[in-house]
């Protein structure tokens, strides 16, 4: 029998206490890997709120501001872009697609965004995942609306429901009862991005909402709805808020960005969404550091628990150690035995913890994807997680030196005569 | 008198724990091959310390201490440990066995640690028949072989300990009060079987006990007081 199987037998004979130690290490491992995975996934998801889009163009302002109002639909745009500029730029031969968006209205707390069918065709998030309709289809007429998953869920709208979209956020009957309601033609599947909390209408729809307010007074004769009915959905507006651009080749992105920033007709800002998102995320760097600190403390707790667990049993094992000494064990064998023991405990804890975490993510993954639009990835641990696991096991091994040192001292004192 | 190297040859060894006065003063102690020596002494008399010196557990700085011709004063702690595993069998008062190992595993335990023993016996495969043979001779039935020590009587545990001590046919067996946990009947039969087996394997025995009745089984009888730096009788 070698020393490793001796250590295994010894551990097995104390399996009740050992199980508790292993479970406590496993819980630390779950917390450490779980927190780290959620941190990484959140970052990943955040920085891929928009993907497949190479440039976002808005009126001249800071990149962060353009990002905030176009992608996150937060704050107000600094200004509009003329339809003419949009047409000129989107006609550039290097442009594969362009999605115009028009913002500025909201419906019961949710932003209303005017756009075209290109939005549903080309806008992507995550690793190139396109928007999917959970129900229905895109809009075809002026009075069609497509709802994000959260809007539909919170406000209880379904396909075919009538939604009254009025200019501004007021929701009293007075301001809307004469307006022609929009009808919901589609509801999008959850994405975990601001798309979920957006009401999408056609660009013409936005114009209709505004039409009654063009002079600053509500037209009570319903002329807006009358004219709206005769308008096709793809009517050309005078201006839009911003537009998303996809290129044929990503190599041209800086070329086109320079061209747009120096656009002669109008002061524009073109941003690279990935870069801007990364910069925005880095603002939250402190929160990330806090998570890392919490994680490290968790590891410390787990390891201290293990040391305490081994030390507690050491006194009653003095006779066992004296027997090993009597049959020829060297001091370094005793130390090796205890270090092997703590290594096995840490290893078992790491395996159990990783297994439980994998099981949990696999089981809860669909639930999370349904409700949050994204979920922690399942499958084998990533290289980073492997190195975290290695650190955990190594820390456990080294922690074994503390009881080993204690056993060494006891054994020096006891010699062959422990317990007699 | 044998012409072989003495099993134990001690002269002028003075031993005390670090920072404490000298405890043992052994001017001369010599045990020959196959000799059975009884050493009488009560608890706290320093007898266990003397066995620790002979077993190579405690380091000796002064004097000469040779076991089978090997000078312990010049050997490292690790090589003394290896030497002990290969050449010295030990039986204690109680708790000789590792609780998590069954009877046979306990008998084979020295092979785990002693390279010297592995070399002399040729590995576990060769040692196993020897272990089973010893257990049989000591009256441990086959059905007990897979039992854990806690499932054996104290008398059975002590006989398993003897089997382990004799595994490598050591030239020296050290016994520290091995009968103190046994009743009178078990005590005598244990000593008889122990001495029969050590004789069969040609091992010398240094047997320490407070029980003077046992001295009759031995060639020679000594008193620990002879080796104490400060004699109780004198004080």
């Amino acid at each position: 029998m070698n020393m490793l199987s001796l250590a295994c037998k010894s551990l097995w004979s104390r399996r009740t206490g050992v199980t508790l130690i292993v479970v406590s290490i496993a819980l630390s491992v779950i917390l450490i890997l779980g927190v780290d995975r959620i941190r990484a996934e959140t970052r990943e998801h955040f920085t891929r709120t928009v993907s497949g889009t190479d440039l976002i163009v808005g009126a001249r302002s800071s990149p962060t501001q353009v990002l905030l109002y176009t992608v996150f639909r937060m704050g107000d745009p600094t200004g509009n872009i003329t339809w003419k500029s949009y047409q000129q730029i989107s006609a550039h031969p290097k442009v594969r697609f362009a999605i115009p968006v028009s913002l500025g209205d909201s419906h019961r707390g949710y932003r209303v965004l005017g756009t075209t069918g290109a939005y549903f065709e080309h806008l992507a998030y995550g690793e190139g995942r396109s928007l999917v309709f959970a129900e229905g289809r895109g809009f075809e007429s002026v009075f069609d609306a497509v709802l994000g998953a959260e809007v539909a869920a919170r406000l209880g709208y379904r396909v075919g429901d009538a939604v009254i979209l009025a200019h501004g956020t007021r929701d009293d009957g007075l301001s809307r009862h004469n307006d022609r309601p929009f009808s919901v033609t589609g509801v999008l599947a959850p994405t975990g991005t601001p798309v979920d909390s957006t009401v999408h209408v056609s660009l013409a729809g936005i114009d209709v909402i505004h039409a009654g307010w063009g002079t600053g007074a509500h037209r009570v004769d319903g002329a807006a709805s009358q004219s709206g009915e005769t308008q096709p959905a793809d009517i050309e507006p005078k201006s839009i808020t911003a537009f998303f651009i996809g290129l044929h080749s990503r190599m041209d992105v800086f070329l086109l960005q320079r061209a747009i920033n120096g656009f002669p007709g109008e002061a524009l800002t073109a941003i690279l969404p990935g870069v801007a998102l990364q910069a925005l995320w880095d603002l939250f760097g402190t929160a990330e550091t806090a998570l890392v600190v919490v994680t490290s403390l968790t590891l410390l707790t787990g390891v201290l628990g293990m040391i305490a667990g081994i030390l507690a049993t050491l006194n009653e094992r003095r006779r066992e150690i004296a027997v090993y000494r009597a049959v020829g064990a060297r001091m370094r064998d005793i130390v090796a035995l205890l270090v092997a023991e703590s290594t096995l405990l840490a290893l078992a804890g790491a395996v159990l913890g990783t297994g439980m975490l994998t099981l949990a993510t696999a089981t809860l993954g669909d639930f999370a994807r349904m409700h949050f639009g994204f979920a922690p990835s399942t499958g084998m641990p990533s290289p980073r997680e492997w190195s975290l696991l290695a650190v955990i096991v190594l820390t456990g091994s080294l922690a074994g030196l503390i009881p080993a040192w204690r056993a060494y001292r006891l054994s020096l004192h006891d010699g062959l005569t422990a317990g007699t | 008198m044998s012409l072989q190297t003495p099993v134990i040859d001690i002269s002028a060894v003075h031993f005390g724990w670090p920072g404490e006065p000298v405890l043992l003063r052994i001017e001369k102690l010599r045990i020959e091959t196959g000799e059975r020596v009884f050493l009488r002494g009560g608890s706290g008399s320093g007898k266990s310390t003397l066995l620790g010196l002979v077993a190579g557990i405690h380091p000796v700085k002064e004097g000469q201490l040779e076991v089978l011709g090997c000078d312990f004063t010049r050997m490292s702690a690790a090589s003394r440990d290896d030497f002990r595993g290969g050449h010295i069998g030990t039986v204690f008062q109680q708790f000789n066995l590792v609780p998590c190992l069954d009877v046979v595993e306990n008998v084979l335990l020295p092979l785990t640690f002693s390279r010297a023993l592995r070399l002399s016996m040729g590995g576990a495969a060769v040692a196993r028949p020897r272990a089973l043979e010893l257990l049989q001779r000591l009256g441990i039935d086959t059905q007990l072989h897979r039992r854990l020590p806690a499932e054996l009587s104290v008398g059975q545990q002590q006989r398993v300990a003897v089997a382990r001590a004799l595994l490598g046919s050591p030239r020296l067996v050290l016994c520290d009060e091995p009968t103190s946990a046994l009743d009178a009947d078990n005590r005598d039969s244990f000593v008889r079987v122990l001495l029969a087996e050590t004789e069969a394997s040609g091992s010398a025995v240094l047997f320490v006990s407070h029980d003077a009745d046992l001295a009759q089984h031995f060639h020679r009888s000594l008193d620990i007081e002879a080796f104490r730096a400060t004699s109780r009788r004198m004080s």
Side-chain angles (χ1 to χ4, degrees):
Chain A
M1 184 171 13
N2 59 31
M3 294 232 287
L4 197 63
S5 51
L6 188 60
C8 289
K9 288 212 174 206
S10 179
L11 285 172
W12 177 246
S13 72
R14 290 174 279 129
R15 50 191 171 277
T16 315
V18 162
T19 306
L20 287 176
I21 296 176
V22 168
V23 167
S24 84
I25 296 173
L27 289 177
S28 309
V29 168
I30 290 174
L31 277 173
I32 291 162
L33 291 194
V35 166
D36 193 70
R37 202 176 278 190
I38 288 169
R39 188 182 61 79
E41 295 288 336
T42 310
R43 181 198 186 103
E44 183 74 11
H45 190 77
F46 183 88
T47 52
R48 292 184 191 227
T49 308
V50 172
S51 68
T53 297
D54 296 306
L55 288 169
I56 300 176
V57 184
R60 172 82 38 96
S61 74
S62 81
T64 307
Q65 200 176 1
V66 172
L67 186 76
L68 282 176
Y69 72 73
T70 56
V71 174
F72 294 99
R73 285 125 212 200
M74 292 162 82
D76 291 311
T78 41
N80 280 350
I81 303 175
T82 61
W83 185 252
K84 215 175 109 196
S85 303
Y86 164 73
Q87 276 183 313
Q88 258 179 288
I89 292 167
S90 58
H92 195 281
K94 294 194 185 301
V95 172
R96 186 165 61 89
F97 68 82
I99 309 168
V101 294
S102 198
L103 287 151
D105 295 298
S106 60
H107 170 69
R108 293 172 71 180
Y110 294 104
R111 282 296 173 107
V112 176
L113 179 140
T115 184
T116 63
Y119 184 92
F120 305 107
E121 194 183 332
H122 295 295
L123 196 73
Y125 65 99
E127 289 182 40
R129 296 168 64 158
S130 352
L131 299 178
V132 177
F133 282 92
E135 268 186 276
R137 52 187 169 74
F139 39 66
E140 278 158 12
S141 92
V142 182
F143 292 103
D144 288 351
V146 171
L147 307 182
E150 193 194 321
V151 182
R154 286 279 169 82
L155 302 183
Y157 290 139
R158 303 203 49 143
V159 169
D161 284 355
V163 184
I164 303 217
L165 301 177
H167 187 42
T169 55
R170 279 169 58 199
D171 201 21
D172 50 41
L174 284 173
S175 65
R176 64 174 192 208
H177 74 279
N178 283 324
D179 285 320
R180 166 79 190 269
F182 282 68
S183 93
V184 178
T185 58
V187 173
L188 296 169
T191 61
T193 71
V195 170
D196 294 353
S197 50
T198 304
V199 176
H200 306 86
V201 297
S202 65
L203 287 173
I206 290 280
D207 272 2
V208 169
I209 300 171
H210 286 200
W213 298 84
T215 57
H218 191 197
R219 271 170 32 184
V220 289
D221 57 4
S225 13
Q226 299 301 325
S227 58
E229 234 153 352
T230 60
Q231 283 171 341
D234 55 356
I235 185 176
E236 291 182 359
K238 284 194 181 65
S239 67
I240 55 171
T241 311
F243 55 99
F244 295 60
I245 290 177
L247 302 177
H248 289 290
S249 159
R250 299 207 65 184
M251 312 285 275
D252 299 323
V253 76
F254 294 108
L255 183 92
L256 213 72
Q257 187 188 25
R258 266 200 307 279
I260 293 169
N261 286 341
F263 189 69
E266 204 170 358
L268 298 175
T269 295
I271 63 162
L272 280 66
V275 174
L277 284 164
Q278 187 70 52
L280 193 57
W281 178 264
D282 288 343
L283 291 176
F284 310 142
T286 336
E288 250 189 302
T289 313
L291 277 180
V292 171
V293 170
V294 169
T295 306
S296 317
L297 285 175
T298 311
L299 175 61
L300 191 68
T301 316
V303 169
L304 281 178
M306 182 184 76
I307 295 173
I310 296 179
L311 280 178
T313 60
L314 209 54
N315 227 19
E316 59 196 70
R317 294 176 65 206
R318 282 165 82 166
R319 288 165 186 157
E320 183 183 327
I321 290 168
V323 173
Y324 295 145
R325 292 282 285 142
V327 300
R330 296 161 297 181
M331 279 303 188
R332 74 171 98 124
D333 294 329
I334 303 297
V335 170
L337 205 58
L338 283 153
V339 171
E341 204 167 275
S342 61
T343 308
L344 285 170
L345 288 175
L347 209 58
V351 170
L352 183 68
T354 312
M356 281 160 75
L357 186 68
T358 308
L359 201 68
T361 49
T363 323
L364 301 175
D366 285 341
F367 176 83
R369 205 165 289 116
M370 203 147 64
H371 287 81
F372 309 120
F374 76 109
S377 57
T378 49
M380 291 302 282
S382 66
R384 185 184 153 80
E385 287 172 352
W386 279 120
S387 54
L388 273 175
L389 285 170
V391 167
I392 292 167
V393 174
L394 197 69
T395 313
S397 272
L398 290 177
L401 286 172
I402 293 169
W405 171 248
R406 172 99 182 118
Y408 173 82
R409 301 291 308 169
L410 286 174
S411 181
L412 268 188
H413 175 262
D414 290 341
L416 296 173
T417 56
T420 59
Chain B
M1 202 72 176
S2 165
L3 290 173
Q4 283 179 282
T5 321
V7 174
I8 298 175
D9 192 0
I10 303 176
S11 46
V13 165
H14 299 176
F15 180 83
W17 294 108
E20 286 176 33
V22 173
L23 177 68
L24 295 172
R25 208 185 289 275
I26 311 168
E27 297 308 334
K28 197 72 196 167
L29 175 61
R30 195 177 155 107
I31 296 178
E32 303 295 338
T33 298
E35 198 179 8
R36 311 203 294 244
V37 177
F38 182 80
L39 180 64
R40 195 175 71 241
S43 60
S45 61
K47 58 190 169 62
S48 297
T49 309
L50 194 152
L51 288 183
L53 288 173
V54 175
I57 290 268
H58 308 313
V60 172
K61 303 264 163 45
E62 286 175 62
Q64 184 205 351
L65 197 165
E66 286 186 5
V67 177
L68 304 172
C70 292
D71 187 354
F72 275 13
T73 57
R74 288 157 185 269
M75 285 163 72
S76 69
S79 47
R80 290 199 308 270
D81 291 333
D82 201 42
F83 182 89
R84 175 172 65 253
H87 302 287
I88 303 175
T90 49
V91 186
F92 309 126
Q93 183 177 3
Q94 232 181 324
F95 314 118
N96 277 290
L97 307 179
V98 176
C100 61
L101 300 180
D102 70 25
V103 165
V104 175
E105 287 168 336
N106 260 294
V107 175
L108 292 170
L109 182 65
L111 290 169
T112 302
F113 295 104
S114 174
R115 195 172 144 269
L117 194 64
R118 283 197 296 272
L119 285 175
S120 68
M121 296 203 70
V126 187
R128 198 178 169 84
R130 162 78 177 152
L132 300 181
E133 182 208 326
L134 279 166
L135 284 170
Q136 193 201 355
R137 291 167 66 111
L138 287 155
I140 303 294
D141 293 339
T142 319
Q143 72 213 41
L144 299 178
H145 286 186
R146 297 304 307 271
R147 297 242 178 119
L148 294 175
E151 298 164 330
L152 303 179
S153 72
V154 179
Q156 288 168 330
Q157 290 179 27
Q158 292 302 79
R159 279 180 281 151
V160 173
V162 172
R164 182 180 65 208
L166 293 173
L167 181 70
S169 304
R171 300 264 314 274
L172 174 62
V173 174
L174 302 174
C175 302
D176 189 355
E177 296 271 21
T179 57
S180 68
L182 304 176
D183 57 40
D185 289 348
N186 269 318
R187 184 194 67 182
D188 287 325
S189 69
F190 174 80
V191 172
R192 231 173 278 122
V193 75
L194 167 73
L195 294 178
E197 288 310 313
T198 52
E199 192 161 348
S201 63
S203 314
V205 180
L206 178 57
F207 189 105
V208 177
S209 177
H210 68 281
D211 188 351
D213 290 352
L214 294 171
Q216 51 172 323
H217 299 286
F218 294 83
H219 298 144
R220 203 147 57 98
S221 181
L222 302 167
D223 197 311
I224 187 74
E225 295 301 329
F227 304 123
R228 284 176 62 85
T230 48
S231 172
R232 279 176 180 173
R233 269 172 254 168
M234 286 166 70
S235 62

